[in-house]
Amino acid sequence: MAEIAVKTIKCDACGASITGISTWKPSVCDYCGSEVIVELPAASMSAVAERPRCVGFRLDAAQAGERLRAWLKSSFWSPGDLAATARTDEQAAIYVPAWEAQVEVETAWQGARSETRHRRVSKTRTNPQTGQTERYEEDEAYQEWYPASGTRQGSYAEVINASGALTQDEVSALMPWDTGAEAMEEDLADALNRGRRMEEPSVGAEEAVRRAREIIEGRERSECQTLIERLDSASTRFGEFLTQRVIVPVWVFRYNYKGKVQRAVMNGQTGELHGERPVSGLKVALAIGIPLAVIAAIVIVSMLMK
Ligand SMILES: [Zn+2]
């Protein structure tokens, strides 16, 4: 790895620490657009401890920007002028810190399944001819519940967010990354030289395992719910966690819409996108208003015809 001079900034608004080449002149935070950023003293890249495995970018700035604009346009609910407001100078290629957590699990579940049965019931009714109350019998359906239980095995390789600014939901939405040997960035220093940035991790291995357990427990529960009509409990046992630091490539976009900063993130390898698209008030008003106007017209016409 070539040795280069780097600088790190810390954002007071979102807490992210971002490292870039020493000639980088940041005015706002790449993640949240805040101007409240503090520059830490310059350092040498070699002074930074050994770097973890780093997945390389496959989409360049132009390709990523193009995809974002297509995505903004593709939502019917987005305001028509939104794609035009997305500026390429508000996108950053960031190597985002993460943990890869691999584990085998076994989940024991308990629940119940039901069967529809019929029983003969006695009812009363008034005979319209005689006016008398009479008894009659009828079949009535009811559900009978039977206890059921079982176990299932699962194998997980989760990417756990170690960014101080991105949320786990944002990172999970971009999964998976190809972490094979040929997908790795060969020279991180060279990548920083070309204007890319790297975020310093805010989450340690222990916390990553805790977060992975929570996510996997939720997934296991959902899986068990597909196995049985009514799930009462699911208890997951974890094997030994294998954790490894990894850096994943993410394009971070900030775009202003009517004074509000929105963020979208893109998997720098696959182009998978996640973010909130602003909703056009006019389109929503029209969508609700047109059916209401039609109903009103029908009511008026039917009243006039009486
Ligand atoms: Zn920030």
Side-chain angles (χ1 to χ4, degrees):
M1 186 188 277
E3 190 163 313
I4 54 161
V6 294
K7 78 162 72 156
T8 299
I9 61 145
K10 184 154 171 47
C11 172
D12 275 349
C14 73
S17 291
I18 304 167
T19 297
I21 189 79
S22 61
T23 50
W24 170 42
K25 295 211 165 25
S27 56
V28 297
C29 168
D30 287 329
Y31 283 118
C32 69
S34 166
E35 291 171 8
V36 194
I37 50 176
V38 180
E39 268 189 41
L40 305 181
S44 156
M45 186 79 171
S46 63
V48 183
E50 194 194 320
R51 287 287 159 197
R53 299 186 315 135
C54 176
V55 180
F57 278 86
R58 279 187 195 149
L59 295 168
D60 65 21
Q63 290 167 323
E66 198 45 54
R67 266 175 181 268
L68 177 83
R69 278 184 290 278
W71 175 76
L72 288 173
K73 270 187 208 151
S74 68
S75 167
F76 170 77
W77 299 107
S78 292
D81 56 343
L82 178 61
T85 69
R87 301 197 333 237
T88 49
D89 59 331
E90 288 174 345
Q91 71 183 66
I94 302 183
Y95 291 103
V96 172
W99 288 91
E100 230 182 344
Q102 287 178 34
V103 70
E104 308 280 327
V105 301
E106 188 176 270
T107 300
W109 57 265
Q110 283 187 319
R113 69 178 91 248
S114 75
E115 258 174 47
T116 304
R117 297 190 172 275
H118 291 87
R119 58 188 161 207
R120 209 72 187 147
V121 290
S122 183
K123 293 188 171 178
T124 55
R125 67 185 162 205
T126 308
N127 187 314
Q129 263 97 50
T130 63
Q132 302 272 307
T133 301
E134 57 185 31
R135 287 195 162 278
Y136 71 102
E137 290 201 327
E138 196 179 70
D139 274 345
E140 187 186 73
Y142 70 99
Q143 298 300 109
E144 193 149 290
W145 290 88
Y146 301 93
S149 60
T151 55
R152 55 160 268 121
Q153 266 92 35
S155 178
Y156 290 86
E158 288 295 310
V159 173
I160 303 300
N161 178 34
S163 162
L166 297 184
T167 65
Q168 182 64 44
D169 282 350
E170 284 176 299
V171 172
S172 291
L174 302 187
M175 279 175 66
W177 280 269
D178 172 8
T179 53
E182 68 293 338
M184 292 298 138
E185 188 70 74
E186 281 164 17
D187 194 336
L188 194 53
D190 182 52
L192 294 191
N193 247 335
R194 285 181 281 120
R196 287 175 184 165
R197 257 96 78 184
M198 174 179 70
E199 190 194 342
E200 304 298 331
S202 313
V203 173
E206 236 171 80
E207 173 64 9
V209 165
R210 196 194 62 75
R211 290 185 186 184
R213 287 178 75 104
E214 217 168 82
I215 292 168
I216 293 166
E217 268 167 354
R219 299 240 166 98
E220 281 293 296
R221 200 175 171 82
S222 314
E223 286 296 331
C224 290
Q225 263 156 354
T226 67
L227 300 174
I228 184 71
E229 212 175 329
R230 191 189 77 206
L231 182 69
D232 294 330
S233 70
S235 160
T236 302
R237 273 203 345 218
F238 289 84
E240 200 178 328
F241 267 93
L242 257 172
T243 55
Q244 196 174 20
R245 267 199 63 194
V246 62
I247 299 177
V248 292
V250 176
W251 278 104
V252 177
F253 303 92
R254 286 173 291 107
Y255 45 93
N256 280 286
Y257 192 73
K258 302 221 156 94
K260 192 170 180 281
V261 176
Q262 312 261 351
R263 179 165 74 201
V265 288
M266 184 190 291
N267 182 323
Q269 197 181 40
T270 65
E272 186 68 32
L273 250 162
H274 173 79
E276 269 181 47
R277 285 182 277 207
V279 168
S280 160
L282 178 65
K283 284 181 185 171
V284 172
L286 285 175
I288 297 168
I290 290 170
L292 282 181
V294 171
I295 292 166
I298 292 169
V299 169
I300 290 165
V301 168
S302 65
M303 278 163 69
L304 290 174
M305 283 168 66
K306 270 186 185 162

